[in-house]
Amino acid sequence: MSKITKEQYEFALARIEYLLPLVNDDTPASDRNAIELTKMSEVVIEFEKEYL
């Protein structure tokens, strides 16, 4: 993954906040919201490994 900017990190945090109520343990892994939540989480993890 390329270097994550602060703007991308903040966007990912906002998307995670939006997506969390839409996804639960019963949501299929193939659900588009679950996929996006996973990808946004990866962005946050990468940024935090680098900067925090």
Side-chain angles (χ1 to χ4, degrees), residues 23-39:
V23 177
N24 61 40
D25 291 339
D26 297 324
T27 305
S30 60
D31 179 82
R32 65 186 175 135
N33 290 327
I35 293 168
E36 183 179 0
L37 181 59
T38 299
K39 290 182 182 205

Side-chain angles (χ1 to χ4, degrees), residues 2 6-7 12 16-18 21 26 28 30 50-52:
S2 62
K6 186 174 182 186
E7 291 78 20
I16 289 170
E17 189 172 327
Y18 172 79
D26 297 324
S30 60
E50 181 76 24
Y51 297 104
L52 300 181

Side-chain angles (χ1 to χ4, degrees), residues 1 3-4 9 41-52:
M1 193 177 274
K3 211 155 193 86
I4 307 297
Y9 171 73
S41 297
E42 290 169 357
V43 169
V44 168
I45 289 166
E46 285 301 311
F47 182 89
E48 290 181 350
K49 276 201 263 186
E50 181 76 24
Y51 297 104
L52 300 181

